[in-house]
Amino acid sequence: MTAPSETLRAPLVVEFPFTRSLGPVQSAFLTGLRERTVLGVRTETGEVLVPPVEYDPATAAELRDLVEVGATGTVTTWAWNPAPRTGQPLATPFAWVLVRLDGADTALLHALDAPGPEAVRTGLRVRIRWAAERSGAITDIACFEPYDSDPVNEPAAHDGRFTDPVTGIVAAARLDYTYSPGRAQTRYLHALGERRTVGERCPSCAKVYVPPRGACPTCGVATTDQVEVGPRGTVTTYCIVNIKAKNLDIEVPYVYAHIALDGAGLALHGRIGGIPYDQVRMGLRVEPVWSDDGRYPDHYRPTGEPDADYDTYKELL
Amino acid sequence: MTPHRPDREVAIVAFAQSDHRRRTDDLSEVEMVMPVLHDVLRQTGLRTSDIDFTCSGSSDYLAGRAFSFTMALDGVGAWPPISESHVETDGAWALYEAWVKLLTGEADTALVYSYGKSSPGSVRDVLTRQLDPYYLAPLWPDSVALAALQAQALVDVGATDEPALAAIATRSRADATANAHAQLPGARPQGEYVVRPLRTGDCPPIGDGVAAVILAVGDRARELCARPAWIRGMDHRIEAHSLGVRDLTDSPSTRLAAERAGAFEAPVDTAELHAPFTSQEVVLRRALDLDESVRVNPSGGALAANPVMAAGLIRLGEAAARIHRGDSDRALAHATSGPCLQQNLVAVLEGEPHVR
């Protein structure tokens, strides 16, 4: 067993633009923000919830009674953020605030632009600073800013109707990771860099896993004993792919196969080339083909050997 | 409200955890999980094939990969096929599912494990993705920011102040010196504000870790453990998603869960509270009406080691281990999930008085 020369790591980015539809209340609220109008919803007991929800958090009753509240309000609690993070409303130090807008009974979370923590307190009067360009999203409120005013506590009835209402939002997100594959896969990838394929044997059942992930899923113990397998192998089963994948530069139809490398206890998958797609068969003997800069085999091609006998690979299907 | 009395006796009979570390770059998830599974099985002499039900807790968002738990499952030895389930939250909820399974009579033993590998990503940013996607997530309010809003609310009502929060941090990390697995044992400076009023010392360490427990029923539990930690009751409750409709200084969901778990029927001597931030211990003590006679977080708590998705299960495990050792007769264990203690689980554990 050789120790990995170093732990591999690579950037891993997960980005997802979740497209979400809005119900009648959220649609009215977010469209309202686009029009510089803040809507809340009135519960059966007369409380006004801002931001509004479609169902009462206490009773689960359906809520549709929209009202307009003020663009001014009062800070109910706050937290000074000295180092804004990516995606947050302001790039300069700011206060996170819960603000009860005038006419509302609940508070909205947002950012407060203030010169420093000494300028912020619970009870501070604030007003909305609208974003210059608004699309119907919570970020249409750019932030709050301190504003000395008397509260106006009577919400006004509002029918929630706007021309061209917003019916959906795209909740874009990006998370950055540094992926490291762990010991077993690091060893595997290092060996692939030398164009060798290395599996790991389970000390309990002796099966050789390729690629190894560090554990035998049958026995639940670590696989530590490294075994070089291949390079040749046998097609155990295959399929013919007729649909071209996006961004994939391979002509269809092509064959994708399970290949049991010699000495391996299970098959890995790879593309078969160098043979017409309709001549690939179970038992075909193949070998890896590396592209010049490839870090793993580009595809497998026939070796020209006689086909393997079914009994030699039937356990690996 | 009368707590429900389970018909079957179920106990935690073994608990194991990893050493919690800032990074585990050299380990895949399964490589990190496997030694802990082996440890907890060894304590009972059970093999995977002896376990009737397996349940795990984790989150794909920490690793940034879909279905990451299926890889970790390789460490269990899942073939021939086992009866298995997974919760996409803290392992304390996996334990709840296993407990229900045992109560139904469909299983007599269960393995529960959970893990969190926070080091590949930025956990403060990752946790923003569990927020309401319409009104909150687009603003990227991170976990420290939300906890800081709660802390300021507590300061405003006079429930705590910065020196009191610092004392919680100091006590927790001093207690953690007796915990070989802790990531941050011993005195630490309170440091600068991360998000005011919370300083570095008020926040949990970011780290990777694993926990596992074994549950068993009745006499099976007595065979496997000299002094089983009997689960006398367990319940979990959730509060409204929107922070602005909640009183952040209180935790009615914790109180209700504790009531339903029977926590108020007799005094507890130990409480393992899942409070990643010092200010959250203040909220939980108030909600659970714990006085100075109760030993709170003798393990050091989440301020000393907070592997996300495992830290709640560790509270149940630590409480049980104290009963196993005879250090506690009746312990309360609490787990939380979501921003500002949104979801809370409470279990009451007891050791048989005549067995020490």
Side-chain angles (χ1 to χ4, degrees), chain A:
Chain A
M1 185 171 108
T2 52
S5 51
E6 64 185 72
T7 304
L8 291 172
R9 57 181 69 181
L12 172 67
V13 179
V14 176
E15 276 188 287
F16 41 100
F18 267 139
T19 305
R20 294 179 173 273
S21 55
L22 302 172
V25 171
Q26 288 173 315
S27 171
F29 175 69
L30 293 178
T31 309
L33 294 185
R34 192 189 66 198
E35 308 302 325
R36 302 185 190 221
T37 300
V38 187
L39 298 183
V41 70
R42 200 189 303 270
T43 68
E44 287 167 314
T45 59
E47 266 199 322
V48 175
L49 309 180
V50 180
V53 291
E54 281 154 357
Y55 296 91
D56 190 312
T59 66
E62 188 172 312
L63 302 177
R64 295 292 182 270
D65 183 12
L66 295 167
V67 292
E68 183 176 352
V69 299
T72 52
T74 305
V75 171
T76 64
T77 187
W78 62 284
W80 184 257
N81 183 19
R85 304 170 74 79
T86 307
Q88 294 182 345
L90 295 166
T92 50
F94 67 89
W96 289 106
V97 281
L98 280 167
V99 174
R100 190 169 56 232
L101 290 168
D102 294 340
D105 294 292
T106 63
L108 171 95
L109 180 87
H110 220 293
L112 170 72
D113 189 8
E118 50 296 319
V120 190
R121 61 185 166 79
T122 298
L124 183 73
R125 294 287 297 158
V126 296
R127 73 170 169 193
I128 291 173
R129 180 189 297 165
W130 295 102
E133 289 184 22
R134 295 178 307 284
S135 60
I138 192 68
T139 45
D140 289 354
I141 298 175
C143 62
F144 283 88
E145 58 192 20
Y147 182 67
D148 202 9
S149 72
D150 292 327
V152 184
N153 286 321
E154 276 311 305
H158 195 288
D159 63 11
R161 293 205 190 102
F162 297 94
T163 54
D164 190 20
V166 179
T167 57
I169 59 166
V170 178
R174 175 190 167 120
L175 295 168
D176 284 273
Y177 300 88
T178 302
Y179 181 69
S180 58
R183 288 173 188 146
Q185 293 188 83
T186 291
R187 286 191 289 259
Y188 173 75
L189 292 167
H190 276 305
L192 273 187
E194 300 162 8
R195 301 200 171 184
R196 295 184 303 123
T197 302
V198 173
E200 291 190 358
R201 195 189 309 275
C202 171
S204 176
C205 71
K207 194 168 182 172
V208 175
Y209 287 92
V210 186
R213 303 200 188 277
C216 172
T218 302
C219 305
V221 298
T223 57
T224 50
D225 184 15
Q226 287 187 82
V227 182
E228 186 158 342
V229 298
R232 292 184 168 186
T234 302
V235 171
T236 63
T237 186
Y238 64 94
C239 65
I240 300 167
V241 180
N242 287 290
I243 296 172
K244 199 172 168 69
K246 199 175 170 184
N247 304 326
L248 193 64
D249 189 24
I250 299 171
E251 286 307 312
V252 292
Y254 64 89
V255 173
Y256 206 64
H258 271 193
I259 301 154
L261 296 180
D262 295 346
L266 75 168
L268 47 69
H269 32 127
R271 184 168 62 87
I272 305 296
I275 180 173
Y277 73 91
D278 56 357
Q279 291 178 28
V280 175
R281 54 202 181 264
M282 290 171 73
L284 182 71
R285 294 285 295 159
V286 293
E287 62 188 3
V289 178
W290 302 76
S291 58
D292 287 343
D293 55 350
R295 302 185 64 170
Y296 50 89
D298 178 70
H299 64 277
Y300 291 77
R301 70 180 169 211
T303 63
E305 293 168 275
D307 285 5
D309 188 62
Y310 179 67
D311 283 341
T312 64
Y313 64 85
K314 68 180 181 186
E315 300 297 326
L316 305 175
L317 282 177

Side-chain angles (χ1 to χ4, degrees), chain A residues 7 9 12 14 16 18 20-22 25-26 29-30 49 51-53 57 76-82 85-89 96-98 106-110 117 122 138-139 169 171-185 187 213-222, chain B residues 21 23-28 30-31 34 38 48 60-65 71 73-80 117 119-126 128-129 132-136 138-142 145-146 148-154 156 193-197 240 242-245 248:
Chain A
T7 304
R9 57 181 69 181
L12 172 67
V14 176
F16 41 100
F18 267 139
R20 294 179 173 273
S21 55
L22 302 172
V25 171
Q26 288 173 315
F29 175 69
L30 293 178
L49 309 180
V53 291
T76 64
T77 187
W78 62 284
W80 184 257
N81 183 19
R85 304 170 74 79
T86 307
Q88 294 182 345
W96 289 106
V97 281
L98 280 167
T106 63
L108 171 95
L109 180 87
H110 220 293
T122 298
I138 192 68
T139 45
I169 59 166
R174 175 190 167 120
L175 295 168
D176 284 273
Y177 300 88
T178 302
Y179 181 69
S180 58
R183 288 173 188 146
Q185 293 188 83
R187 286 191 289 259
R213 303 200 188 277
C216 172
T218 302
C219 305
V221 298
Chain B
R21 297 196 275 143
R23 321 196 62 85
T24 49
D25 290 353
D26 52 334
L27 299 177
S28 67
V30 65
E31 289 166 337
M34 207 161 33
H38 292 175
T48 301
D60 284 349
Y61 275 80
L62 291 174
R65 288 182 305 131
M71 296 295 186
L73 193 59
D74 284 354
V76 177
W79 180 269
K117 208 169 181 322
S119 59
S122 167
V123 72
R124 283 174 71 182
D125 298 325
V126 166
T128 65
R129 300 302 95 189
D132 151 36
Y134 303 99
Y135 303 155
L136 289 182
L139 305 174
W140 293 82
D142 61 281
L146 297 175
L149 286 166
Q150 186 172 34
Q152 183 63 41
L154 286 163
D156 284 340
Y193 288 118
V194 184
V195 180
R196 182 173 170 163
S242 175
L243 295 173
V245 305
L248 296 179

Side-chain angles (χ1 to χ4, degrees), chain B residues 261-285:
Chain B
F264 301 128
E265 291 175 11
V268 296
D269 54 49
T270 302
E272 278 286 342
L273 305 180
H274 184 192
F277 297 93
T278 52
S279 43
Q280 294 180 339
E281 184 180 305
V282 177
V283 178
L284 293 171
R285 276 179 180 271

Side-chain angles (χ1 to χ4, degrees), chain B residues 34 227 262 277 307 336 340 342:
Chain B
M34 207 161 33
R227 195 178 192 237
F277 297 93
T336 195
C340 299
Q342 188 195 6

